Amino acid sequence: MTGLPIAVVGASAAGLAAVEALRRSGWRGPLTLIGDEPHLPYDRPPLSKQLLHGDWTPEKLTLRTAEQLAPLALDLRLGTRATGLDVATRTLTLDGGEQLGCAGVIIATGVAARTLPGADRIAGVHTLRTLDDALALRSGLANGGAPGSEDVAAGGGGGGRRVVIVGNGVLGCEAAAVARELGHEVTLVGIGPTPMAAVVGTEVGELLAEEHRARGVRLLTAAVDGFETAPADQDGAGDPRVTAVRLAHGGPPGSGGVAAGGGTRLPADLVLLAIGSRPAVGWLDDPALDTTDGLRCDTYCAAAPGIYAAGDVARWDHPVHGRPLRFEHRMNATEQGMAAARNLLAELAAEAPAAAEDAAPAQERRPFAPVPYFWSDQYAVKIQAYGPTAGADRVETTVLDRAERRALALYGRDGNAVGVLAAGLPPRQARALRAVVATPLPWEEARERVAAATADG
Amino acid sequence: MKITLDADKCCAAGQCVLIAPEVFDQREEDGVVVLLDAEPPVEQHDAVHEAAAICPAAVIEVHA
């Protein structure tokens, strides 16, 4: 028995899945779970949906209660940040200065929201990645009478505030839907003309754009240049408050509000920056690790001997797709957390059979080969997609019912179909599509199978 | 084994149905999980544990 812990860095979905899988797979040694947020592991997808809407309380997002975690006998370090990792000795440094020597490490630090310079010092400008972010934004959406918004309250007319969402990817679109449902005046600004196009292609993106427009969201194509602000209050205490978003090259004709200098300004009471995210790899400075666009891993999710990664932060060689992939999908976080845990245990058992009493019975490492899955809910439209849809060199979209936003799309790369998307399809049909792209399939064959899978109903 | 669901958290991913089709199904109208067998036989237990672990909304709870 070595007595050294396995440490899992990152206490969100992937980290939680990893510690649970480690115990299920027989790890009886010490197990440390390190999370930089103060909260027990919670679920992120509802942040931009049910939580933001006010339908769910924060408690409902908790993935496991303290009672449910107790049997795992975790050394749980919440509110703790890992600041360094020495790969050769598998030693973590924590923000209190503690050095933690480990039998193995699983890195599941996820991603951090990108922001714009200075934005964190402007009241009313938000990002949306953590529970605390979401609660702050929700409070802004719920409270029409926040400081600085007297003019809006006076202007009344239903109490809706002027909400500008910068970034028309998945997160921006979901938040726009919620803000609109809450009765706010919503403008969705993206650099690309079509929402979510990078992930779903232009035709599905245009279908979503139609739904947003039909619900009263204004869509603009522009880059953001900066913000205009007003002093916080009479005393000058606190951060200045956002009053407008400045667009870089002016909006399209008819977007209104042309400011001096030819740029466009969008009056705003509340701004959400949904401009993507960065893998949280800044703390990994060991040159043995490749941290270009996430932590580079092999097909087993190993970044180095005894060092594995899982979830949004991991860029690994998908054995079926033959290229490094990184997904910021909820499903991948769990699946990869489980896979990394099992493979780490297999490696530990193989490298020190004599010390294997802490570990599970020896098992082979297995390549991590999931069928990627993501979903998005906007208004009543549910989108589900299997396989890597981003990075396609060919997309074929079939709109089944324009008004109902029902559509199917097939995504190809190098002659094969690799991904499929269903919008508004019955669950059984959507599920049947998964099998079509479980492995890349010649394009024509995939088309026939998609047609067969959706023929009835 | 006894299974309980917190079905109003369900995001309709359908992974439980793929893993344990004799225990779980989805509602036809919105894809929300349906429990077919709350006390499944022992040969289903591994699959149920897998489904509970993988559920992206932590909907499935397994009691000993």
Coordinates of all heavy atoms in Angstrom, one line a residue, chain B:
Chain B
M1 N -32.5 -4.1 -5.2 CA -32.3 -2.8 -5.8 C -33.7 -2.1 -6.0 O -34.6 -2.7 -6.4 CB -31.6 -2.9 -7.1 CG -31.6 -1.6 -7.9 SD -30.9 -1.7 -9.5 CE -29.1 -1.7 -9.2
K2 N -33.7 -0.8 -5.6 CA -34.9 0.0 -5.8 C -34.5 1.3 -6.5 O -33.5 2.0 -6.0 CB -35.7 0.3 -4.5 CG -37.0 0.9 -4.7 CD -37.9 0.7 -3.6 CE -39.2 1.5 -3.7 NZ -39.9 1.4 -5.0
I3 N -35.2 1.7 -7.6 CA -34.8 2.9 -8.3 C -35.9 4.0 -8.1 O -37.1 3.7 -8.1 CB -34.8 2.6 -9.8 CG1 -33.8 1.4 -10.1 CG2 -34.4 3.8 -10.6 CD1 -33.9 0.9 -11.5
T4 N -35.4 5.2 -7.8 CA -36.3 6.3 -7.8 C -35.8 7.3 -8.8 O -34.6 7.4 -9.2 CB -36.5 7.0 -6.4 OG1 -35.1 7.3 -6.0 CG2 -37.1 6.0 -5.4
L5 N -36.8 8.1 -9.3 CA -36.4 9.2 -10.3 C -36.8 10.5 -9.9 O -37.8 10.7 -9.2 CB -37.2 8.9 -11.6 CG -37.0 7.6 -12.4 CD1 -37.9 7.6 -13.6 CD2 -35.5 7.4 -12.8
D6 N -36.0 11.5 -10.2 CA -36.4 12.9 -10.1 C -36.7 13.4 -11.5 O -35.9 14.2 -12.1 CB -35.3 13.7 -9.4 CG -35.7 15.1 -9.0 OD1 -36.9 15.5 -9.3 OD2 -34.9 15.8 -8.4
A7 N -37.9 13.0 -12.0 CA -38.1 13.1 -13.5 C -38.2 14.5 -13.9 O -37.9 14.8 -15.1 CB -39.4 12.3 -13.9
D8 N -38.5 15.5 -13.1 CA -38.7 16.8 -13.6 C -37.3 17.5 -13.8 O -37.2 18.6 -14.3 CB -39.6 17.7 -12.8 CG -39.1 17.9 -11.4 OD1 -38.3 17.1 -10.9 OD2 -39.5 19.0 -10.8
K9 N -36.2 16.8 -13.4 CA -34.9 17.3 -13.8 C -34.4 16.7 -15.1 O -33.4 17.0 -15.6 CB -33.9 16.8 -12.7 CG -33.9 17.7 -11.5 CD -33.1 17.1 -10.3 CE -31.6 17.1 -10.5 NZ -30.9 16.6 -9.3
C10 N -35.2 15.7 -15.7 CA -34.7 15.0 -16.8 C -34.5 15.9 -18.0 O -35.4 16.8 -18.3 CB -35.8 13.9 -17.2 SG -35.3 13.0 -18.6
C11 N -33.4 15.7 -18.8 CA -33.1 16.6 -19.9 C -33.4 15.8 -21.2 O -33.0 16.2 -22.3 CB -31.7 17.1 -19.9 SG -30.4 15.8 -19.9
A12 N -33.9 14.6 -21.1 CA -34.3 13.8 -22.3 C -33.2 13.3 -23.1 O -33.3 13.2 -24.3 CB -35.4 14.5 -23.1
A13 N -32.0 13.1 -22.5 CA -30.9 12.7 -23.3 C -31.1 11.3 -23.8 O -30.5 10.9 -24.8 CB -29.6 12.8 -22.5
G14 N -31.8 10.5 -23.1 CA -32.1 9.1 -23.5 C -31.0 8.1 -23.3 O -31.0 7.0 -23.7
Q15 N -29.9 8.5 -22.6 CA -28.8 7.6 -22.4 C -29.2 6.4 -21.5 O -28.7 5.3 -21.7 CB -27.6 8.3 -21.7 CG -27.1 9.4 -22.5 CD -26.4 9.0 -23.8 OE1 -25.5 8.1 -23.8 NE2 -26.8 9.5 -24.9
C16 N -30.1 6.6 -20.6 CA -30.5 5.5 -19.7 C -31.2 4.4 -20.5 O -31.1 3.2 -20.3 CB -31.4 6.0 -18.6 SG -32.8 7.0 -19.2
V17 N -32.0 4.8 -21.6 CA -32.7 3.9 -22.4 C -31.7 3.1 -23.3 O -31.9 1.9 -23.5 CB -33.7 4.6 -23.3 CG1 -34.6 3.6 -24.0 CG2 -34.6 5.6 -22.5
L18 N -30.6 3.8 -23.7 CA -29.6 3.1 -24.5 C -28.9 2.0 -23.6 O -28.6 0.9 -24.1 CB -28.6 4.0 -25.0 CG -29.1 5.0 -26.1 CD1 -28.1 6.1 -26.3 CD2 -29.2 4.2 -27.5
I19 N -28.7 2.3 -22.4 CA -27.9 1.4 -21.5 C -28.8 0.3 -20.9 O -28.3 -0.8 -20.8 CB -27.2 2.3 -20.4 CG1 -26.2 3.2 -21.1 CG2 -26.5 1.4 -19.4 CD1 -25.7 4.3 -20.1
A20 N -30.0 0.7 -20.5 CA -30.8 -0.3 -19.8 C -32.3 -0.2 -20.3 O -33.2 0.2 -19.6 CB -30.8 -0.1 -18.3
P21 N -32.5 -0.7 -21.6 CA -33.8 -0.5 -22.2 C -34.9 -1.3 -21.6 O -36.1 -1.0 -21.8 CB -33.5 -1.0 -23.6 CG -32.3 -1.9 -23.6 CD -31.5 -1.3 -22.4
E22 N -34.6 -2.3 -20.7 CA -35.6 -3.0 -20.0 C -36.1 -2.3 -18.8 O -37.1 -2.7 -18.2 CB -35.2 -4.5 -19.7 CG -35.0 -5.3 -21.0 CD -34.4 -6.6 -20.8 OE1 -34.7 -7.3 -19.8 OE2 -33.5 -7.0 -21.6
V23 N -35.3 -1.3 -18.4 CA -35.7 -0.6 -17.1 C -36.2 0.8 -17.4 O -37.0 1.3 -16.6 CB -34.4 -0.6 -16.2 CG1 -34.7 0.1 -14.9 CG2 -33.9 -2.0 -15.9
F24 N -35.7 1.4 -18.4 CA -36.0 2.8 -18.7 C -36.6 3.0 -20.1 O -36.3 2.3 -21.0 CB -34.8 3.7 -18.6 CG -34.1 3.7 -17.2 CD1 -32.9 2.9 -17.1 CD2 -34.7 4.3 -16.1 CE1 -32.3 2.9 -15.8 CE2 -34.0 4.2 -14.9 CZ -32.8 3.5 -14.7
D25 N -37.5 3.9 -20.2 CA -38.0 4.4 -21.5 C -38.2 5.9 -21.5 O -37.9 6.5 -20.4 CB -39.4 3.7 -21.8 CG -39.7 3.7 -23.3 OD1 -38.9 4.3 -24.1 OD2 -40.8 3.2 -23.7
Q26 N -38.6 6.4 -22.6 CA -38.8 7.9 -22.7 C -40.3 8.2 -23.1 O -40.8 7.5 -23.9 CB -37.9 8.5 -23.7 CG -36.5 8.6 -23.3 CD -35.6 9.2 -24.4 OE1 -35.2 8.5 -25.4 NE2 -35.3 10.5 -24.4
R27 N -40.8 9.2 -22.4 CA -42.2 9.6 -22.9 C -42.1 10.1 -24.3 O -41.2 10.8 -24.7 CB -42.6 10.8 -22.0 CG -43.4 10.4 -20.8 CD -44.2 11.5 -20.1 NE -43.7 12.8 -20.1 CZ -43.6 13.6 -19.0 NH1 -43.9 13.1 -17.8 NH2 -43.2 14.8 -19.1
E28 N -43.1 9.7 -25.1 CA -43.1 9.9 -26.5 C -43.2 11.4 -26.8 O -42.5 11.9 -27.7 CB -44.3 9.2 -27.2 CG -44.1 8.9 -28.6 CD -42.7 8.4 -29.0 OE1 -42.2 7.5 -28.4 OE2 -42.1 9.0 -29.9
E29 N -43.9 12.2 -26.0 CA -44.1 13.6 -26.3 C -42.9 14.5 -26.0 O -42.6 15.4 -26.8 CB -45.4 14.2 -25.7 CG -45.4 14.2 -24.2 CD -45.9 12.9 -23.5 OE1 -45.8 11.8 -24.2 OE2 -46.4 13.0 -22.4
D30 N -42.2 14.2 -24.9 CA -41.1 15.2 -24.6 C -39.8 14.4 -24.2 O -38.8 15.1 -23.9 CB -41.5 16.1 -23.5 CG -42.0 15.3 -22.2 OD1 -41.8 14.1 -22.2 OD2 -42.5 16.0 -21.3
G31 N -39.8 13.1 -24.3 CA -38.5 12.4 -24.0 C -38.2 12.2 -22.6 O -37.1 11.7 -22.2
V32 N -39.0 12.7 -21.7 CA -38.7 12.5 -20.3 C -38.8 11.1 -19.8 O -39.5 10.3 -20.4 CB -39.8 13.4 -19.4 CG1 -39.7 13.0 -17.9 CG2 -39.5 14.9 -19.6
V33 N -37.8 10.7 -19.0 CA -37.6 9.3 -18.6 C -38.9 8.7 -17.9 O -39.6 9.4 -17.2 CB -36.4 9.2 -17.6 CG1 -36.7 10.0 -16.3 CG2 -36.1 7.8 -17.3
V34 N -39.1 7.4 -18.3 CA -40.2 6.6 -17.7 C -39.5 5.4 -17.1 O -38.7 4.8 -17.7 CB -41.2 6.2 -18.8 CG1 -42.2 5.2 -18.2 CG2 -41.8 7.4 -19.4
L35 N -39.9 5.1 -15.9 CA -39.4 3.9 -15.2 C -40.3 2.7 -15.5 O -41.4 2.7 -15.2 CB -39.3 4.2 -13.7 CG -38.6 3.2 -12.8 CD1 -37.2 3.0 -13.3 CD2 -38.6 3.7 -11.4
L36 N -39.7 1.7 -16.2 CA -40.4 0.5 -16.5 C -40.4 -0.5 -15.4 O -41.3 -1.3 -15.3 CB -39.8 -0.2 -17.8 CG -39.8 0.7 -19.1 CD1 -39.1 0.0 -20.2 CD2 -41.2 1.1 -19.5
D37 N -39.3 -0.5 -14.7 CA -39.2 -1.5 -13.6 C -38.4 -0.9 -12.5 O -37.2 -0.7 -12.6 CB -38.4 -2.8 -14.2 CG -38.4 -3.9 -13.2 OD1 -38.8 -3.7 -12.0 OD2 -38.0 -5.0 -13.6
A38 N -39.1 -0.6 -11.4 CA -38.5 0.0 -10.3 C -37.6 -0.9 -9.4 O -36.8 -0.4 -8.7 CB -39.5 0.7 -9.4
E39 N -37.8 -2.2 -9.6 CA -37.0 -3.2 -8.8 C -36.6 -4.2 -9.8 O -37.0 -5.4 -9.8 CB -37.9 -3.8 -7.7 CG -38.3 -2.7 -6.6 CD -39.1 -3.3 -5.5 OE1 -38.8 -4.4 -5.1 OE2 -40.0 -2.6 -5.0
P40 N -35.6 -3.9 -10.6 CA -35.2 -4.8 -11.7 C -34.4 -6.0 -11.1 O -33.8 -5.9 -10.1 CB -34.3 -3.9 -12.6 CG -33.8 -2.9 -11.7 CD -34.9 -2.6 -10.6
P41 N -34.4 -7.1 -11.9 CA -33.7 -8.3 -11.5 C -32.2 -8.1 -11.5 O -31.7 -7.1 -12.1 CB -34.1 -9.3 -12.5 CG -34.5 -8.5 -13.7 CD -35.1 -7.3 -13.2
V42 N -31.5 -8.9 -10.8 CA -30.0 -8.7 -10.5 C -29.2 -8.6 -11.8 O -28.3 -7.8 -11.9 CB -29.5 -9.8 -9.6 CG1 -29.5 -11.2 -10.3 CG2 -28.1 -9.5 -9.1
E43 N -29.6 -9.3 -12.9 CA -28.8 -9.2 -14.1 C -28.9 -7.8 -14.8 O -28.1 -7.4 -15.6 CB -29.3 -10.3 -15.1 CG -30.7 -10.2 -15.6 CD -31.6 -11.0 -14.7 OE1 -31.3 -11.3 -13.6 OE2 -32.7 -11.4 -15.2
Q44 N -29.8 -6.9 -14.3 CA -29.9 -5.6 -14.8 C -29.2 -4.6 -13.9 O -29.0 -3.4 -14.3 CB -31.4 -5.1 -14.8 CG -32.3 -5.9 -15.8 CD -32.0 -5.5 -17.2 OE1 -31.5 -4.4 -17.5 NE2 -32.3 -6.5 -18.1
H45 N -28.6 -5.0 -12.8 CA -28.1 -4.1 -11.8 C -26.9 -3.3 -12.4 O -26.8 -2.1 -12.2 CB -27.8 -4.8 -10.5 CG -29.0 -5.1 -9.7 ND1 -29.0 -5.6 -8.4 CD2 -30.3 -5.1 -10.1 CE1 -30.2 -5.9 -8.0 NE2 -31.0 -5.6 -9.0
D46 N -26.0 -4.0 -13.0 CA -24.8 -3.2 -13.6 C -25.2 -2.2 -14.5 O -24.7 -1.0 -14.5 CB -23.9 -4.2 -14.3 CG -23.0 -5.0 -13.3 OD1 -23.1 -4.7 -12.0 OD2 -22.3 -5.9 -13.7
A47 N -26.2 -2.5 -15.4 CA -26.6 -1.5 -16.4 C -27.3 -0.4 -15.7 O -27.1 0.8 -16.1 CB -27.6 -2.2 -17.4
V48 N -28.1 -0.6 -14.7 CA -28.8 0.5 -14.0 C -27.8 1.4 -13.3 O -27.9 2.6 -13.4 CB -29.8 -0.1 -13.0 CG1 -30.3 1.0 -12.1 CG2 -30.9 -0.8 -13.7
H49 N -26.8 0.8 -12.7 CA -25.7 1.6 -12.0 C -25.0 2.5 -13.1 O -24.7 3.7 -12.8 CB -24.7 0.7 -11.3 CG -25.2 0.3 -10.0 ND1 -25.5 1.1 -8.9 CD2 -25.5 -1.0 -9.5 CE1 -25.9 0.4 -7.9 NE2 -25.9 -0.9 -8.2
E50 N -24.7 1.9 -14.2 CA -24.1 2.6 -15.3 C -25.0 3.8 -15.8 O -24.6 4.9 -16.0 CB -23.8 1.7 -16.5 CG -23.1 2.3 -17.7 CD -21.6 2.3 -17.5 OE1 -21.1 1.8 -16.5 OE2 -21.0 2.8 -18.4
A51 N -26.3 3.5 -15.9 CA -27.2 4.5 -16.4 C -27.3 5.6 -15.4 O -27.4 6.8 -15.7 CB -28.6 3.9 -16.6
A52 N -27.4 5.3 -14.1 CA -27.4 6.3 -13.0 C -26.2 7.2 -13.0 O -26.3 8.4 -12.9 CB -27.6 5.7 -11.7
A53 N -25.0 6.5 -13.2 CA -23.8 7.3 -13.2 C -23.7 8.2 -14.4 O -23.1 9.3 -14.3 CB -22.6 6.3 -13.2
I54 N -24.2 7.8 -15.5 CA -24.0 8.5 -16.8 C -25.1 9.6 -17.0 O -24.9 10.5 -17.8 CB -23.9 7.6 -18.0 CG1 -22.7 7.9 -18.8 CG2 -25.1 7.5 -18.8 CD1 -22.2 6.8 -19.7
C55 N -26.2 9.5 -16.3 CA -27.3 10.4 -16.6 C -26.8 11.9 -16.4 O -26.3 12.2 -15.3 CB -28.4 10.2 -15.6 SG -29.7 11.5 -15.7
P56 N -26.9 12.7 -17.4 CA -26.3 14.0 -17.4 C -27.1 15.0 -16.5 O -26.7 16.1 -16.3 CB -26.3 14.5 -18.8 CG -27.4 13.7 -19.5 CD -27.5 12.4 -18.8
A57 N -28.3 14.5 -16.0 CA -29.0 15.4 -15.1 C -29.2 14.8 -13.7 O -29.9 15.4 -12.9 CB -30.4 15.7 -15.7
A58 N -28.5 13.7 -13.4 CA -28.5 13.1 -12.1 C -29.9 12.8 -11.6 O -30.3 13.1 -10.5 CB -27.8 14.0 -11.0
V59 N -30.7 12.3 -12.6 CA -32.1 12.0 -12.3 C -32.4 10.7 -11.6 O -33.3 10.6 -10.8 CB -32.9 12.0 -13.7 CG1 -34.3 11.4 -13.5 CG2 -32.9 13.4 -14.3
I60 N -31.5 9.7 -11.8 CA -31.7 8.4 -11.4 C -31.0 8.1 -10.1 O -29.8 8.3 -10.0 CB -31.2 7.4 -12.4 CG1 -31.9 7.6 -13.8 CG2 -31.4 5.9 -12.0 CD1 -31.2 6.9 -15.0
E61 N -31.8 7.7 -9.1 CA -31.2 7.3 -7.8 C -31.4 5.8 -7.5 O -32.5 5.3 -7.7 CB -31.7 8.2 -6.6 CG -30.8 8.0 -5.4 CD -31.0 9.1 -4.3 OE1 -31.8 10.0 -4.6 OE2 -30.4 8.9 -3.3
V62 N -30.3 5.2 -7.2 CA -30.4 3.7 -6.9 C -30.2 3.5 -5.4 O -29.3 4.0 -4.8 CB -29.3 3.0 -7.7 CG1 -29.3 1.5 -7.4 CG2 -29.4 3.3 -9.2
H63 N -31.2 2.8 -4.9 CA -31.1 2.4 -3.4 C -30.8 0.9 -3.3 O -31.3 0.1 -4.1 CB -32.4 2.8 -2.8 CG -32.9 4.1 -3.1 ND1 -32.6 5.2 -2.4 CD2 -33.7 4.6 -4.1 CE1 -33.2 6.3 -2.9 NE2 -33.9 5.9 -4.0
A64 N -30.0 0.6 -2.3 CA -29.7 -0.8 -2.1 C -30.9 -1.6 -1.6 O -31.7 -2.2 -2.1 CB -28.6 -0.9 -1.0

